[in-house]
Amino acid sequence: MSLRYRPDPPSVPPLPEEEPFNIIPVHNLLADHPSLRYPEVRAAAAALRAVGDLRRPPYAQWHPSMDLLDWLALFFGFQRDNVRNQREHLVLHLANAQMRLSPPPDNIDTLDAGVLRRFRRKLLKNYTHWCSYIGKKSNIWISDSSRSSTDQRRELLYVGLYLLIWGETANLRFMPECICYIFHNMAMELNKILEDYIDENTGQPAVPSISGENAFLNLVVKPIYETIRAEVERSKNGTAPHSVWRNYDDLNEYFWSKRCFQKLKWPIEVGSNFFVNSGSNKRVGKTGFVEQRSFWNLFRSFDRLWVMLVLFLQAAIIVAWEEKEYPWQAWTSKNVQVKVLTVFITWSGMRFLQSLLDIGTQYGRVSRETLGLGVRMVLKTVVAAAWMVIFGVFYGRIWAQRNQDRKWSSEVNNRILTFLEVAFVFVIPELLALVLFILPWIRNFVEGTDWRIFYVFSWWFQSRNFVGRGLREGLVDNIKYTLFWVLVLATKFVFSYFLQIKPMIRATKLMLDLKNVKYEWHQFFSGSNRFAVGLLWSPVVLIYLMDIQIWYSIYSSFVGAAVGLFQHLGEIRNIQQLRLRFQFFASAIQFNLMPEEQLLKTGGTLKNKFKDAIHRLKLRYGLGRPYKKLESNQVEAGRFALIWNEVILTFREEDIISDCELELLELPQNSWNVRVIRWPSFLLCNELLLALSEAKELVDAPDKWLWYNICKNEYRRCAVIEAYDSVRKLMLEIIKVNTEEHSIFTVLFQEIDHSIQIEKFTRTFKMTALSQIHTKVIKLVELLAKPKKDVNQVVNTFQALYEIVIRDFFEENKSTEQLKEEGLAPRNPDAMAGLLFENAIGLPDPSNENFYRQVRRLHTILTSRDSMHNIPANLEARRRIAFFSNSLFMNMPHAPQVEKMMAFSVLTPYYNEEVLYSKEQLRTENEDGISILYYLQTIYDDEWKNFMERLRREGMAKDDEIWTTRLRDLRLWASYRGQTLARTVRGMMYYYRALKLQAFLDSASEMDVRKGERELGSMRRDGGFEGYNSERSSSSRSLSRVSSSVGFLFKGHEYGTALMKYTYVVACQIYGAQKAKKDPHAEEILYLMKQNEALRVAYVDEVSTGRDERDYYSVLVKYDQQLQMEVEIYRVKLPGPLKLGEGKPENQNHALIFTRGDAVQTIDMNQDNYFEEALKMRNLLEEYRHYYGIRKPTILGVREHIFTGSVSSLAWFMSAQETSFVTLGQRVLANPLKVRMHYGHPDVFDRFWFLSRGGISKASRVINISEDIFAGFNCTLRGGNVTHHEYIQVGKGRDVGFNQISMFEAKVASGNGEQVLSRDVYRLGHRLDFFGCYHSFTLLWDSFSIR
């Protein structure tokens, strides 16, 4: 047990009124709760209560039990439940962060200053960058060098103030710089209070400009919220053009300039033009960008791509017009060289077009306050037009001189040089961009530094924005994706020149030379065939402009396959390949899933990375035979058995394997003193028979040679030893002790052991008799395995076996006297008169499940005549076992102890989808006479049989009971095979179950592990696992997945640790309305909460306060297991209705304040999870500590498995399409292209990074209809880093019907169309480096084409 872990505190009487709490009862540190036993929790809570000599708030009653957050609330008017929520939030995070310290602090009972400082810097990093950007001094008045207790209190006040602001700003959380503005002003007022400033007007100590009950909500949040609401009304539910109303981004970007201080001031002036919503001239218009619906957005956002394509097409046509075999042959012509110079005229023309488009789309941004923007757009248009004229004049002068001299004279050459000098001036900006591309850190420095001189130099080229700065990757990443794109573009241009453009030249010339051609259509060019030539070229040009995506798809397939190969993906794809690796599987689990202190102390060094690589090579290719170590280390073997058996047990709970397959797949405890690892039975099948055949063939071979051949196969060696040890234990167990028969068999086994020890087994015994003995032993085991056991037959079998051993097994025939003398025959002659074993057999009681389970295992080893490659029979079970085993041989970070892992939450938005299928839904038939249950029984035939087998084992007498007493089990079984909330909750609660198991194993002693091995054996079958928690029904256990098979071994701290590290919040937006209407969905959600203690439900409650007036609240509830009822934890008042933008992101946003931890995983309602994958979550979270390129990750991309592929042919198509995208597609986007965004789920977000930068999605009406991908855009533009990891996976459902697929594709198509209009895509296309144009176009292509 950890030294930090404290024993239970002394019991104290409960408080008169126990306040409901979420995870830890921070309000009552004397409560008997497992989380409060950690000193870090008490240290964080004590730091918050260190109010000290701070000036008490006026006009409010102060209680000694209040803390710093209460102090802030009384001064600034925050809501009570907001304070309670953020108090637990802050205490929990600080405690978890201090638990991760390595080495631990000297005084674990006080909050470490470094923990708080790092958290403050991370949480307020966006604020400090914002202050630097707008030229304001930060109001964080703390010296980094100071370490006083006063500074620690001040840091807590800053952090607490920001969290309280964030927790109450509701829809304003989508506007991170607006929150920065609010925090900036409130932090200044806080500083005045802390520094004892005197108000100049009153002569009294300074107080905040806003105070009182709910003052912050009413005076700060509500005015801005009402402005957002008014703008949404101007949008006419999203039907109005984007250019006539301000969305979340427009309102947020208003705070990117100093005018927010000049106009809004503090306290906020509601008369500011920011709040004007009418059509007057005072109204603030669009800010930062104007979204205009036009196909020209494709050109405007990706102008560099189009410039390159058009210029190459022009140059290629000029060169190909000479009809030379190779382009360099035509290039020797002076005419061609000069004609190619026309690309500069075209280039300047495209710049002119771009400037016109800028004016045509962005004129709405120009106002009195932004006249500089209008001047710049006009000047750029004038300059672009001037360049067109200049190039045209200088180019005309070349040909004028050429025609005058009738040759390429020196004067013509001088004019060509003059043209090139002009062109050099024209391309200076591009050359500078090329230099900065080669030296990316210089551009990152220039863009990331807010020096005015740099702004002056860059003013001409781009607008100054807070986002999109310093986006360049490191040199290594630059080289990788540059090589990729150079290869793609080189292939594309070679193909286009030789197979598209060049073949068209001859045909074009012939058509132009045709005379007197009469056309049926109108002749646009009289006496010419140019229109027909244009029609001939149009499809070629269209293909030329788009086939870059074909080449990208081809090369991305090759690169993705190579990346997957180096990541060792797919090395174990089936059970046959698993058999080859399983002997190293235990060591792989120990290496990856079990923490080791020495790895945590020195991890990250080059030496340790090299050692890890060598160890992984040994595991992957079987070097060093690590299973030898496993045999000598029973504790490691025991830990492996507990983990593996828990995985297999979840398979059985999910009904994807049968009871028989459970026995074949599990690792049994070593209850019969077997000398080797007891591998799962499916690995040992057929091995004993092969060993017997080898013994027959090598009948005259010495022991060493025979044993050498057997030991070539590890499973065969273990099968032989286990079979012998088990047969010996079985026989000595059945034969009564202190009988002559027991003595005979004891001597016989001693004789066999002695002959093996002196290596004379083959000389002492006949190998040919082994088959007879094998047959009789099988018969004996079959008799014992029967439900009704016939003792007489057992006796007869023993007698026959004895006769074979005595007469045929010994190499040397022995007389009766010799047998008696050696103890192999009865010494009492009277015993020979009757049957030898007649009174010596005593069968164990039928209730001894452990004994008969071992008998069944022995029977499997003795009788199986195939390698059981079809075990398990279920394809899903095979896939999951193969992926899990393969992933453990892949590269992944080492797992820390659960106490030292990063805490995380899972957030699932839910509206009104199915929770559980009802009885009526399951039985109702459609127009084809097919019910849901019949359909599920058909496509999941084997799982239905396993389900019925489980119910019968649990006591169901008749099948009809599934509609009566076992109806809940039936509804759950069906719901777990649909896309329901119950399935998602079941999967996400595997995290909680896995963390409890891992917390137990982290602190388990050798005695604990051995106790677990011994006691689990007697609980495997016929009510076994129901015994430790019999008061809960089987359906409850099936649903919650918190009832671990090792739960009875837990010591208590596992629950507290798991709750501190994980919480699951389902944002059931209309749960309150459902309860009021007695909607069955509400009852089913309550049932889910009742069965899952780590599950929380957040919803929006509408409370009527009068005629047509309503108050809105964000509410968090849980099910209290002690009170046996739902309890309300927090109720935070909202400024108005929740849904102003898109529904899903608004739902996520309101529930985000109730999540906890360093990370949050976004999970949709159509997803699932697996217990074996949940075991790797703490490994995944360690990725946040590692650099990928020059940045640490902010989004961890996770692989998805589409589980709906078997439902229909259309579902299979959608599954294949999605699988290709979520594996190979995202793999390439992440590495080497470095442009993977967030495409939905189940990505893991750096929670505090996104908390201060606008949240995990965007919510503006219509423009953000594909809300998820905008989180990725926002992440990249704000300097984040998105990675992709394929050693862990989460299940995902896809649309299965034609109508569903059609609606989904329509949504994606609409979303893609809106993306093209968005400021995010425009900024990506212009703010990334030269190949960023292709990157952004690639991600857009993936959104269009793959999804």
Side-chain angles (χ1 to χ4, degrees), residues 18-36:
E18 280 292 342
E19 186 178 85
F21 63 92
N22 181 20
I23 298 173
I24 51 178
V26 185
H27 63 284
N28 181 15
L29 296 179
L30 297 178
D32 184 14
H33 189 273
S35 299
L36 293 179

PDB file of all heavy atoms in Angstrom, residues 18-36:
ATOM      1  N   GLU A  18     -26.567  16.905   5.702  1.00  0.00           N
ATOM      2  CA  GLU A  18     -25.509  16.462   4.798  1.00  0.00           C
ATOM      3  C   GLU A  18     -25.740  17.050   3.415  1.00  0.00           C
ATOM      4  O   GLU A  18     -26.771  16.821   2.798  1.00  0.00           O
ATOM      5  CB  GLU A  18     -25.478  14.930   4.726  1.00  0.00           C
ATOM      6  CG  GLU A  18     -24.779  14.276   5.902  1.00  0.00           C
ATOM      7  CD  GLU A  18     -23.290  14.565   5.912  1.00  0.00           C
ATOM      8  OE1 GLU A  18     -22.746  14.972   4.865  1.00  0.00           O
ATOM      9  OE2 GLU A  18     -22.664  14.404   6.974  1.00  0.00           O
ATOM     10  N   GLU A  19     -24.783  17.819   2.947  1.00  0.00           N
ATOM     11  CA  GLU A  19     -24.872  18.445   1.631  1.00  0.00           C
ATOM     12  C   GLU A  19     -24.512  17.421   0.565  1.00  0.00           C
ATOM     13  O   GLU A  19     -23.498  16.739   0.685  1.00  0.00           O
ATOM     14  CB  GLU A  19     -23.912  19.630   1.593  1.00  0.00           C
ATOM     15  CG  GLU A  19     -23.999  20.459   0.352  1.00  0.00           C
ATOM     16  CD  GLU A  19     -23.028  21.638   0.426  1.00  0.00           C
ATOM     17  OE1 GLU A  19     -21.849  21.445   0.083  1.00  0.00           O
ATOM     18  OE2 GLU A  19     -23.452  22.728   0.844  1.00  0.00           O
ATOM     19  N   PRO A  20     -25.326  17.272  -0.465  1.00  0.00           N
ATOM     20  CA  PRO A  20     -24.963  16.301  -1.510  1.00  0.00           C
ATOM     21  C   PRO A  20     -23.673  16.726  -2.198  1.00  0.00           C
ATOM     22  O   PRO A  20     -23.406  17.918  -2.362  1.00  0.00           O
ATOM     23  CB  PRO A  20     -26.155  16.349  -2.468  1.00  0.00           C
ATOM     24  CG  PRO A  20     -26.807  17.672  -2.215  1.00  0.00           C
ATOM     25  CD  PRO A  20     -26.581  17.979  -0.769  1.00  0.00           C
ATOM     26  N   PHE A  21     -22.873  15.762  -2.573  1.00  0.00           N
ATOM     27  CA  PHE A  21     -21.603  16.051  -3.223  1.00  0.00           C
ATOM     28  C   PHE A  21     -21.482  15.207  -4.479  1.00  0.00           C
ATOM     29  O   PHE A  21     -22.191  14.219  -4.670  1.00  0.00           O
ATOM     30  CB  PHE A  21     -20.428  15.790  -2.276  1.00  0.00           C
ATOM     31  CG  PHE A  21     -20.291  14.351  -1.840  1.00  0.00           C
ATOM     32  CD1 PHE A  21     -19.487  13.470  -2.541  1.00  0.00           C
ATOM     33  CD2 PHE A  21     -20.982  13.886  -0.726  1.00  0.00           C
ATOM     34  CE1 PHE A  21     -19.360  12.152  -2.144  1.00  0.00           C
ATOM     35  CE2 PHE A  21     -20.860  12.560  -0.319  1.00  0.00           C
ATOM     36  CZ  PHE A  21     -20.054  11.696  -1.038  1.00  0.00           C
ATOM     37  N   ASN A  22     -20.557  15.597  -5.324  1.00  0.00           N
ATOM     38  CA  ASN A  22     -20.365  14.938  -6.614  1.00  0.00           C
ATOM     39  C   ASN A  22     -19.416  13.754  -6.488  1.00  0.00           C
ATOM     40  O   ASN A  22     -19.816  12.602  -6.588  1.00  0.00           O
ATOM     41  CB  ASN A  22     -19.843  15.961  -7.633  1.00  0.00           C
ATOM     42  CG  ASN A  22     -19.650  15.369  -9.011  1.00  0.00           C
ATOM     43  OD1 ASN A  22     -20.217  14.335  -9.326  1.00  0.00           O
ATOM     44  ND2 ASN A  22     -18.848  16.008  -9.828  1.00  0.00           N
ATOM     45  N   ILE A  23     -18.141  14.026  -6.237  1.00  0.00           N
ATOM     46  CA  ILE A  23     -17.128  12.971  -6.157  1.00  0.00           C
ATOM     47  C   ILE A  23     -16.526  12.888  -4.766  1.00  0.00           C
ATOM     48  O   ILE A  23     -16.426  11.813  -4.191  1.00  0.00           O
ATOM     49  CB  ILE A  23     -16.023  13.210  -7.214  1.00  0.00           C
ATOM     50  CG1 ILE A  23     -16.630  13.148  -8.621  1.00  0.00           C
ATOM     51  CG2 ILE A  23     -14.905  12.191  -7.070  1.00  0.00           C
ATOM     52  CD1 ILE A  23     -15.668  13.525  -9.719  1.00  0.00           C
ATOM     53  N   ILE A  24     -16.099  14.031  -4.238  1.00  0.00           N
ATOM     54  CA  ILE A  24     -15.515  14.044  -2.899  1.00  0.00           C
ATOM     55  C   ILE A  24     -16.256  15.075  -2.049  1.00  0.00           C
ATOM     56  O   ILE A  24     -16.571  16.175  -2.518  1.00  0.00           O
ATOM     57  CB  ILE A  24     -14.004  14.370  -2.945  1.00  0.00           C
ATOM     58  CG1 ILE A  24     -13.735  15.627  -3.769  1.00  0.00           C
ATOM     59  CG2 ILE A  24     -13.215  13.206  -3.489  1.00  0.00           C
ATOM     60  CD1 ILE A  24     -12.286  16.034  -3.809  1.00  0.00           C
ATOM     61  N   PRO A  25     -16.547  14.764  -0.794  1.00  0.00           N
ATOM     62  CA  PRO A  25     -17.264  15.704   0.082  1.00  0.00           C
ATOM     63  C   PRO A  25     -16.316  16.772   0.630  1.00  0.00           C
ATOM     64  O   PRO A  25     -15.910  16.738   1.790  1.00  0.00           O
ATOM     65  CB  PRO A  25     -17.827  14.796   1.177  1.00  0.00           C
ATOM     66  CG  PRO A  25     -16.863  13.660   1.244  1.00  0.00           C
ATOM     67  CD  PRO A  25     -16.331  13.463  -0.142  1.00  0.00           C
ATOM     68  N   VAL A  26     -15.986  17.742  -0.205  1.00  0.00           N
ATOM     69  CA  VAL A  26     -15.041  18.780   0.205  1.00  0.00           C
ATOM     70  C   VAL A  26     -15.598  19.582   1.376  1.00  0.00           C
ATOM     71  O   VAL A  26     -14.839  20.110   2.198  1.00  0.00           O
ATOM     72  CB  VAL A  26     -14.726  19.703  -0.994  1.00  0.00           C
ATOM     73  CG1 VAL A  26     -13.651  20.710  -0.629  1.00  0.00           C
ATOM     74  CG2 VAL A  26     -14.272  18.886  -2.183  1.00  0.00           C
ATOM     75  N   HIS A  27     -16.901  19.684   1.469  1.00  0.00           N
ATOM     76  CA  HIS A  27     -17.519  20.466   2.531  1.00  0.00           C
ATOM     77  C   HIS A  27     -17.354  19.823   3.895  1.00  0.00           C
ATOM     78  O   HIS A  27     -17.526  20.477   4.922  1.00  0.00           O
ATOM     79  CB  HIS A  27     -19.007  20.642   2.236  1.00  0.00           C
ATOM     80  CG  HIS A  27     -19.763  19.346   2.216  1.00  0.00           C
ATOM     81  ND1 HIS A  27     -19.689  18.475   1.148  1.00  0.00           N
ATOM     82  CD2 HIS A  27     -20.575  18.745   3.134  1.00  0.00           C
ATOM     83  CE1 HIS A  27     -20.449  17.420   1.402  1.00  0.00           C
ATOM     84  NE2 HIS A  27     -20.982  17.561   2.596  1.00  0.00           N
ATOM     85  N   ASN A  28     -17.053  18.534   3.929  1.00  0.00           N
ATOM     86  CA  ASN A  28     -16.941  17.814   5.202  1.00  0.00           C
ATOM     87  C   ASN A  28     -15.744  16.880   5.130  1.00  0.00           C
ATOM     88  O   ASN A  28     -15.864  15.713   4.749  1.00  0.00           O
ATOM     89  CB  ASN A  28     -18.239  17.032   5.467  1.00  0.00           C
ATOM     90  CG  ASN A  28     -18.183  16.273   6.788  1.00  0.00           C
ATOM     91  OD1 ASN A  28     -17.320  16.530   7.627  1.00  0.00           O
ATOM     92  ND2 ASN A  28     -19.110  15.342   6.975  1.00  0.00           N
ATOM     93  N   LEU A  29     -14.583  17.385   5.492  1.00  0.00           N
ATOM     94  CA  LEU A  29     -13.354  16.605   5.375  1.00  0.00           C
ATOM     95  C   LEU A  29     -13.259  15.503   6.418  1.00  0.00           C
ATOM     96  O   LEU A  29     -12.336  14.685   6.366  1.00  0.00           O
ATOM     97  CB  LEU A  29     -12.138  17.524   5.500  1.00  0.00           C
ATOM     98  CG  LEU A  29     -11.979  18.573   4.378  1.00  0.00           C
ATOM     99  CD1 LEU A  29     -10.765  19.428   4.617  1.00  0.00           C
ATOM    100  CD2 LEU A  29     -11.901  17.897   3.018  1.00  0.00           C
ATOM    101  N   LEU A  30     -14.195  15.464   7.367  1.00  0.00           N
ATOM    102  CA  LEU A  30     -14.195  14.397   8.373  1.00  0.00           C
ATOM    103  C   LEU A  30     -15.099  13.243   7.977  1.00  0.00           C
ATOM    104  O   LEU A  30     -15.244  12.288   8.725  1.00  0.00           O
ATOM    105  CB  LEU A  30     -14.642  14.963   9.731  1.00  0.00           C
ATOM    106  CG  LEU A  30     -13.724  16.051  10.328  1.00  0.00           C
ATOM    107  CD1 LEU A  30     -14.307  16.549  11.644  1.00  0.00           C
ATOM    108  CD2 LEU A  30     -12.322  15.516  10.528  1.00  0.00           C
ATOM    109  N   ALA A  31     -15.717  13.334   6.823  1.00  0.00           N
ATOM    110  CA  ALA A  31     -16.613  12.265   6.380  1.00  0.00           C
ATOM    111  C   ALA A  31     -15.822  11.002   6.082  1.00  0.00           C
ATOM    112  O   ALA A  31     -14.627  11.033   5.768  1.00  0.00           O
ATOM    113  CB  ALA A  31     -17.385  12.710   5.135  1.00  0.00           C
ATOM    114  N   ASP A  32     -16.499   9.875   6.216  1.00  0.00           N
ATOM    115  CA  ASP A  32     -15.867   8.582   5.938  1.00  0.00           C
ATOM    116  C   ASP A  32     -16.021   8.284   4.453  1.00  0.00           C
ATOM    117  O   ASP A  32     -16.931   7.580   4.029  1.00  0.00           O
ATOM    118  CB  ASP A  32     -16.511   7.488   6.783  1.00  0.00           C
ATOM    119  CG  ASP A  32     -15.809   6.137   6.586  1.00  0.00           C
ATOM    120  OD1 ASP A  32     -14.694   6.146   6.027  1.00  0.00           O
ATOM    121  OD2 ASP A  32     -16.380   5.101   6.977  1.00  0.00           O
ATOM    122  N   HIS A  33     -15.127   8.848   3.663  1.00  0.00           N
ATOM    123  CA  HIS A  33     -15.160   8.655   2.219  1.00  0.00           C
ATOM    124  C   HIS A  33     -13.766   8.245   1.770  1.00  0.00           C
ATOM    125  O   HIS A  33     -12.769   8.835   2.213  1.00  0.00           O
ATOM    126  CB  HIS A  33     -15.593   9.951   1.521  1.00  0.00           C
ATOM    127  CG  HIS A  33     -15.866   9.789   0.062  1.00  0.00           C
ATOM    128  ND1 HIS A  33     -14.889   9.889  -0.904  1.00  0.00           N
ATOM    129  CD2 HIS A  33     -17.022   9.512  -0.611  1.00  0.00           C
ATOM    130  CE1 HIS A  33     -15.418   9.691  -2.092  1.00  0.00           C
ATOM    131  NE2 HIS A  33     -16.714   9.464  -1.951  1.00  0.00           N
ATOM    132  N   PRO A  34     -13.652   7.248   0.901  1.00  0.00           N
ATOM    133  CA  PRO A  34     -12.316   6.746   0.545  1.00  0.00           C
ATOM    134  C   PRO A  34     -11.401   7.795  -0.077  1.00  0.00           C
ATOM    135  O   PRO A  34     -10.186   7.736   0.102  1.00  0.00           O
ATOM    136  CB  PRO A  34     -12.607   5.602  -0.440  1.00  0.00           C
ATOM    137  CG  PRO A  34     -14.021   5.794  -0.886  1.00  0.00           C
ATOM    138  CD  PRO A  34     -14.716   6.452   0.256  1.00  0.00           C
ATOM    139  N   SER A  35     -11.957   8.769  -0.787  1.00  0.00           N
ATOM    140  CA  SER A  35     -11.111   9.784  -1.414  1.00  0.00           C
ATOM    141  C   SER A  35     -10.459  10.698  -0.383  1.00  0.00           C
ATOM    142  O   SER A  35      -9.366  11.236  -0.623  1.00  0.00           O
ATOM    143  CB  SER A  35     -11.928  10.618  -2.392  1.00  0.00           C
ATOM    144  OG  SER A  35     -12.457   9.824  -3.416  1.00  0.00           O
ATOM    145  N   LEU A  36     -11.134  10.891   0.759  1.00  0.00           N
ATOM    146  CA  LEU A  36     -10.605  11.812   1.759  1.00  0.00           C
ATOM    147  C   LEU A  36      -9.456  11.211   2.549  1.00  0.00           C
ATOM    148  O   LEU A  36      -8.837  11.890   3.375  1.00  0.00           O
ATOM    149  CB  LEU A  36     -11.725  12.231   2.714  1.00  0.00           C
ATOM    150  CG  LEU A  36     -12.837  13.089   2.091  1.00  0.00           C
ATOM    151  CD1 LEU A  36     -13.900  13.417   3.126  1.00  0.00           C
ATOM    152  CD2 LEU A  36     -12.265  14.362   1.500  1.00  0.00           C
TER     153      LEU A  36
END
